[in-house]
Amino acid sequence: MSASLEAAAPEAATATEDDAPLYAARRKIYPIAVHGRFRRIKWTILIVTLGIYYLLPFVRWDRGPGAPSQAVLIDFPNRRFYFFFIEIWPQEIYYITGLLILAALVLFFMNAVAGRIWCGYLCPQTVWTDLFQAIERLVEGDPRERREKLKHASRGQRAFEAAAKHVLWLMVAWWTGGAWVLYFADAPTLTMQLLKGQGPLVAYAWIGILTFTTYVLAGHMREQVCTYMCPWPRIQAALTDEYAFNVTYRYDRGEPRGSFKKTEALKLAGLPGGDCVDCKQCVAACPTGVDIREGAQLGCIQCGLCIDACDAIMTKLSRPAGLIAYDTEMNVRARQEGKPEQYRVLRPRTLLYAALIVVIGGIMVGTLATRSSENVAIIHDRNPFFVLLSDGSIRNAYTVRLVNKELVERRFSIAVAGVPEARVEVMGEPKEGGLPVVTVGPDQTTEVRLLVSTHTRLPAAASLDVDFTISDLATGASASARDHFKGP
Amino acid sequence: MAEAHHNEVDAASGVSTTGHEWDGIRELNNPLPRWWLWTFYACIAWAVAYWVVYPAWPMVSSYTSGVLGWRSRDAVQVQLAGLRAQRAVFAEKLEAASLDQIEQNPELLAFARAQGRAAFGDNCAPCHGAGAGGAKGYPNLNDDDWLWGGSLEQIHATITHGARSTDDAGHQGNMPAFGTDGILQRPDILAAADYVRSLSGLPPAPDAQIAKGKEVFEANCAACHGPEGKGNQELGAPNLTDGIWLYGSSRADIVADITHGRGGIMPAWGGRLDEGTIKALTVYVHTLGGGK
Ligand code: SF4
Ligand code: SF4
C-alpha cells in the first residue's frame, strides 16, 4: 500500500505538467530601442520600402497622348497593367505568374543563405510593426519610462498619450490604405477627388479595409501574425538546412554566464567563465519576446536587433562583439568541441535556386524583349459551320480579333492561305491590293467578321487548314493564326 | 454521479467544470470569449432591426413590409432604368440614324451588331437558329438567297411587318395547294416537279417528263415564279434556279410542296420591339454575310 502511494506521487507531478493548458495568454511586448549595424540596416530598408510604396504612384511616365502617364498603374477598367516602359495585357498574365515564381525562388534563396531574413527585414508585417513600435516609443517612451509612468504618471497623462499613439497609428494606417488605392487610378486626380470627398465609393471602402488591417495587424497583433498566422515560418522550416545562417547565441563563448565581476574572477583564476553577463538586453530588444539564448526557435524572425543590443553591452565591457551573431548551431558546437568551423554558402540548394532565378528571369526578360506588338485570334462560326450560296459555292465565316499593342493607330491587311480560289471579304472594310484592310486604334483590339468562300468543289465533309496572316501595311510586322474551312 | 462533478474545479486549468462527463473526460465551463458574445448580441440586434426596417414576416395574404417600404421589384426597376439610361446614348443614336448611316459609322455599327446579336438570340433564334443557320422551312439568314429581299430596307420591312403575319402591311403571297385543292392532277404535279429540278441542274429521274412539266409550269407556276423560274421577291416566290431549297430539293419534297402548298409565317415585330432594336436586328442580319 505504501509502495503504491509512493509510486503515485511522481506520476501526479508529470500528469499536471501534461495537463498544462495549451493556451498561453499573450504577454504584451514593448521592445527597447537599440542602436547598431542591424538597426541601421532596418531603418534604411524601412525608409526605402515605405518610401517606394507611398510615393511610387506619383511618379510620372510619358507614354504619349491618350495613354496614362503614371509609371505604375493597374488599370482595371481598361484591363491594362503599366510598369514604366512595360505594358501588360490581361492575356499576358503569365508575366505576373513568372514574377510570382521569381519572388518565391528569391525567398527560397534568401532562406537557404540566411534563414528568415525576409521576416526580419523585408516582410510588410515586420516593416509596419517596426514603424508602429517606433511611434509607440516616441509617444509613450521606452519600456523603462513606461513602467515608471505606470507607477507615477497621472491617469490623464497616460490616457492622453495612449490616445495620441492610436491617432498616429491610425494616420499611418490610413495613409497606407490611401497609397494602395492610388495604384489603381491616376494618383494626383484620385488624391484630389478623395480630398474633396468625390472619390469613388470603392476607393473609400478599400482605404477603410486597409486602414483597419494595418492598424490591427501592425498595432495590435504584431508578432502574433508571425508566430500564429503566417505560413512562411512553417514552410521555411521545411526548406532550411544546418548551413543556413541564423541569429545564434554563441554559447560556446557565453556560458557559463554570470555577472561581470564573477566571470572576470573566474577567468583570472583560469576557470571557465562565459562572456554573457545575463543583462537580458537581448530579450528586452526582441520584438517577438524571444530569449535567443535558448537556441533557434519559432518566434525568432532573424531581425538581428538582439545582436545590436548585445554588441552594445560587449563594447561597454571591452569584450569582443559578436556574442550573438549570424552563425550556425553546427559551428557553435564545432568550436566547443575544438573542431574546425564550416561555412558553405555555395551548396547545391543555393546554386540551384540561383540558377533557377537566372533562368526564369532570363526567359522573362527574353520574352518581354521579343514579344510582338500585334496579334490575331480567330473563331470559326459554329452555327452554321458553312453556308451554301445560291451559286453553289461554299462559304465559311470567322470572327477575327486583331490586337494592336502599339500606342499608334495601325492598318493591317488580312491574307488567307489554304483555301483554293478563296474569295475573302471583311464585312464593312475596304480592300487594298486585293486584300481586306482593317484599321485598329492605338492600344486596342478590333473584332471583324471575315467571310471566305470558294467555288471549288471540296471532297465530302472536307476540313481544310487555313492560315490567317495579318500584316501591318506600314511596317510589315505580321502575326498569324490557324483555323479550318469546312464543307458539306 | 454527474451532479457530483458540478462546480468541481479542474486542477490543471483552474476552470470549473459543467458536470458533463464522458468516460472520465470532463467538460470545462469556460465562458465564451467576450468578443464572440458581443458579436452574437450585435447579430441579434441586427436581426431585430432588420425585421422592422425590411420586409420580413409572411402574413396570410401579404407580408410585413418594413418601415423603409423597400421592395425587390422596385430595386429591379431602378436597375433596369439605370441600364436603359446607360444604353440611351447609343440607343437614341440608333433610332435617329438611318440604316445606311449605321453601317457607315463603325462605332454605331459595332453597337448595333452587339445589340442585334442579343436581340436575335432572344427573339429570332427559336425559328432561325442561334447562328441564323435556319432549318427546313425556316430560312438560313447567312446565305445570299432572300425570299423577300436582302437589302437593308427590305430586311427592315420584313422584320417590322412580318410575312403572312397579323400585320396588314406584312408580306403576302402563298404557294397554292395545287394537289389538295384539285387544281392539278398527280401526273402533272410529278412532271412539274421534274421540270423544276431541271432548272437548277439537279439530275433527272429516269421517268422524268421535262417537256410536259414545262407546259404545266408555264400555265400554273410562271405567274409567281417567273417564266424562267427566277422567283419574285414581291410575292416571296423563291428563285427555283439556284442551289438553295427551303423545303428540300428531292423529287418527293417538291411534289409535296406543289401538292400541299407552302406559306411559312414570319411574325410582325413592329409592335413588340422598339425601333432601335429592329434597326439593330436589321444591321445584324444584314452583316451575317448575305446582305445585298
Ligand atoms: S531573437 Fe533576435 S533576431 Fe530573433 S526576433 Fe528576437 S531580436 Fe530578432
Ligand atoms: S545582451 Fe548579450 S550579454 Fe546581455 S544577456 Fe543577452 S546575450 Fe547576454
Side-chain angles (χ1 to χ4, degrees), chain A residues 215-488:
Chain A
Y215 173 70
V216 170
L217 294 181
H220 295 279
M221 307 271 300
R222 297 186 171 179
E223 82 287 347
Q224 297 182 98
V225 175
C226 311
T227 316
Y228 301 117
M229 286 166 65
C230 177
W232 174 234
R234 279 83 193 162
I235 300 170
Q236 83 80 226
L239 286 172
T240 195
D241 67 359
E242 68 273 28
Y243 288 103
F245 287 101
N246 276 317
V247 172
T248 306
Y249 167 65
R250 290 170 161 159
Y251 55 83
D252 57 318
R253 193 190 129 188
E255 300 296 325
R257 63 183 82 155
S259 74
F260 184 69
K261 249 193 219 152
K262 201 175 107 194
T263 48
E264 289 297 312
L266 281 174
K267 282 182 191 175
L268 272 179
L271 290 168
D275 275 349
C276 174
V277 293
D278 208 8
C279 65
K280 298 197 169 65
Q281 286 299 290
C282 53
V283 184
C286 178
T288 72
V290 157
D291 183 349
I292 194 64
R293 295 172 302 168
E294 288 167 8
Q297 50 204 291
L298 181 65
C300 175
I301 57 169
Q302 300 286 318
C303 66
L305 292 181
C306 52
I307 302 182
D308 283 345
C310 185
D311 281 353
I313 300 292
M314 288 296 124
T315 317
K316 256 187 225 152
L317 300 177
S318 311
R319 287 179 177 173
L323 176 53
I324 305 176
Y326 280 95
D327 202 343
T328 66
E329 173 73 23
M330 193 175 58
N331 283 331
V332 175
R333 220 176 303 136
R335 282 194 299 268
Q336 211 171 27
E337 291 164 9
K339 291 189 198 143
E341 299 172 342
Q342 283 188 54
Y343 290 105
R344 274 177 65 200
V345 177
L346 300 183
R347 336 190 271 288
R349 69 177 65 206
T350 49
L351 293 176
L352 177 71
Y353 291 144
L356 282 174
I357 290 169
V358 169
V359 168
I360 293 179
I363 292 176
M364 281 182 60
V365 170
T367 49
L368 204 59
T370 56
R371 68 178 177 163
S372 69
S373 55
E374 58 282 316
N375 208 347
V376 58
I378 309 277
I379 306 175
H380 188 274
D381 263 18
R382 263 139 228 270
N383 178 14
F385 258 139
F386 58 86
V387 179
L388 287 176
L389 299 185
S390 52
D391 64 358
S393 53
I394 306 163
R395 192 181 69 203
N396 281 213
Y398 306 85
T399 302
V400 180
R401 186 173 278 279
L402 299 96
V403 179
N404 171 18
K405 292 182 190 166
E406 276 177 24
L407 295 171
V408 290
E409 181 179 279
R410 292 160 84 192
R411 298 172 69 232
F412 293 100
S413 67
I414 307 181
V416 176
V419 180
E421 297 179 89
R423 276 175 289 149
V424 182
E425 196 191 341
V426 171
M427 297 303 298
E429 301 289 340
K431 281 196 179 187
E432 261 174 54
L435 293 176
V437 170
V438 179
T439 307
V440 189
D443 203 34
Q444 279 174 20
T445 69
T446 296
E447 199 178 88
V448 293
R449 190 169 162 80
L450 180 136
L451 308 174
V452 180
S453 48
T454 180
H455 253 309
T456 311
R457 284 193 68 87
L458 301 176
S463 175
L464 311 175
D465 284 341
V466 190
D467 290 307
F468 299 81
T469 306
I470 64 164
S471 311
D472 185 329
L473 290 185
T475 66
S478 67
S480 55
R482 171 166 285 195
D483 212 306
H484 306 287
F485 186 93
K486 303 249 182 205

Side-chain angles (χ1 to χ4, degrees), chain B residues 15-247:
Chain B
V15 176
S16 66
T17 60
T18 59
H20 303 158
E21 180 180 335
W22 294 271
D23 294 344
I25 300 171
R26 276 165 285 151
E27 183 183 25
L28 295 185
N29 192 12
N30 273 314
L32 285 166
R34 232 178 321 158
W35 68 265
W36 193 96
L37 263 184
W38 282 114
T39 314
F40 183 57
Y41 294 145
C43 289
I44 295 175
W46 176 272
V48 172
Y50 201 96
W51 294 342
V52 177
V53 172
Y54 281 107
W57 293 103
M59 311 293 266
V60 176
S61 60
S62 68
Y63 56 91
T64 58
S65 61
V67 293
L68 281 188
W70 184 90
R71 284 158 31 120
S72 54
R73 175 116 206 114
D74 295 343
V76 171
Q77 293 300 342
V78 169
Q79 288 183 344
L80 281 178
L83 185 70
R84 262 182 236 116
Q86 222 175 30
R87 283 187 184 162
V89 190
F90 272 111
E92 272 165 26
K93 277 194 202 162
L94 263 195
E95 281 203 24
S98 77
L99 291 163
D100 280 324
Q101 282 167 340
I102 296 173
E103 289 231 323
Q104 300 306 315
N105 179 337
E107 215 185 4
L108 216 47
L109 177 66
F111 177 78
R113 286 210 56 198
Q115 201 197 332
R117 180 198 221 98
F120 191 91
D122 289 347
N123 302 293
C124 318
C127 293
H128 289 286
K136 187 171 180 181
Y138 301 100
N140 181 343
L141 304 177
N142 288 277
D143 64 26
D144 59 347
D145 194 31
W146 297 89
L147 288 175
W148 308 99
S151 71
L152 278 169
E153 284 68 28
Q154 287 168 321
I155 295 173
H156 184 257
T158 307
I159 297 175
T160 310
H161 303 296
R164 310 178 187 101
S165 65
T166 47
D167 184 341
D168 290 340
H171 300 302
Q172 301 299 333
N174 269 302
M175 168 83 179
F178 287 96
T180 39
D181 287 354
I183 306 168
L184 289 174
Q185 297 309 308
R186 178 87 183 161
D188 292 341
I189 293 176
L190 274 177
D194 288 332
Y195 174 68
V196 166
R197 278 170 57 83
S198 74
L199 287 176
S200 55
L202 290 167
D207 57 343
Q209 292 175 286
I210 308 281
K212 180 180 170 197
K214 187 169 194 279
E215 272 172 41
V216 178
F217 185 87
E218 276 164 2
N220 297 282
C221 316
C224 293
H225 289 283
E228 291 161 5
K230 293 269 188 208
N232 181 348
Q233 292 182 345
E234 293 291 307
L235 302 167
N239 181 350
L240 302 175
T241 63
D242 64 20
I244 293 172
W245 296 88
L246 187 54
Y247 295 96

